[in-house]
Amino acid sequence: MPACLFCEILTGTIPALRIAEDAEAMAFMDINPAVPGHALVIPRDHSVDALAAPPAALAACMVLAGRVGRAAELVLGATGVTFLSCARPDGGQTVFHLHVHVLPRQPADGLSFPWLHKPGDPAVIETIAGSLRSALY
Ligand code: 5GP
Ligand code: ZN
């Protein structure tokens, strides 16, 4: 099987700013944040997308995504959260390991779909990751 970017993040072969984990899923910061606090939640067991994943993996991702979203409300003052999972190229998917985007929202934040992947400032992403970690419960 060809190497999977998110499986390599899970094993630590590729570094990522992890913010939360449990037995089934892991959350980390997106390197191209569409909005401040943009995080990704992935299942530990590889599934290509939400169309192919077993129900337990989908449930685990949404449970962890909800925790990250609540942390974003607390520490980033998000007034809403968009949870998004793209499936297949025509669905907007570019990384083929199931993931849920957690997009903390603010009024008139200008986010539109699809957004352009633009690298964020690593120092800013790291600071936000620390805040989210501190607020996860
Ligand atoms: P998709 O386009 O499949 O819905 O989402 C893939 C996401 O993975 C994108 O938001 C993209 O910025 C993010 N991404 C791509 N490569 C990396 C990486 O090496 N590290 C991290 N943390 N995120 C990545
Ligand atoms: Zn994978």
Side-chain angles (χ1 to χ4, degrees):
M1 190 167 101
C4 165
L5 174 64
F6 288 172
C7 282
E8 296 201 55
I9 283 179
L10 279 163
T11 60
T13 311
I14 291 177
L17 288 167
R18 296 173 181 236
I19 51 175
E21 7 207 335
D22 62 26
E24 283 94 24
M26 198 269 277
F28 58 101
M29 304 306 290
D30 197 304
I31 48 166
N32 306 305
V35 287
H38 183 177
L40 300 170
V41 178
I42 59 176
R44 289 193 188 279
D45 292 335
H46 180 94
S47 286
V48 171
D49 59 33
L51 296 168
L58 294 167
C61 286
M62 281 314 299
V63 168
L64 191 54
R67 289 178 62 206
V68 174
R70 285 190 290 278
E73 281 189 299
L74 277 176
V75 291
L76 304 181
T79 52
V81 179
T82 300
F83 299 101
L84 175 76
S85 191
C86 303
R88 314 257 164 94
D90 286 347
Q93 188 175 15
T94 60
V95 177
F96 298 92
H97 178 128
L98 168 63
H99 49 283
V100 176
H101 294 267
V102 181
L103 297 156
R105 305 300 304 274
Q106 306 282 347
D109 59 16
L111 178 62
S112 60
F113 301 87
W115 61 85
L116 287 179
H117 290 186
K118 216 174 72 187
D121 179 335
V124 171
I125 299 174
E126 191 158 359
T127 300
I128 293 175
S131 302
L132 288 172
R133 269 185 220 116
S134 72
L136 273 149
Y137 59 92

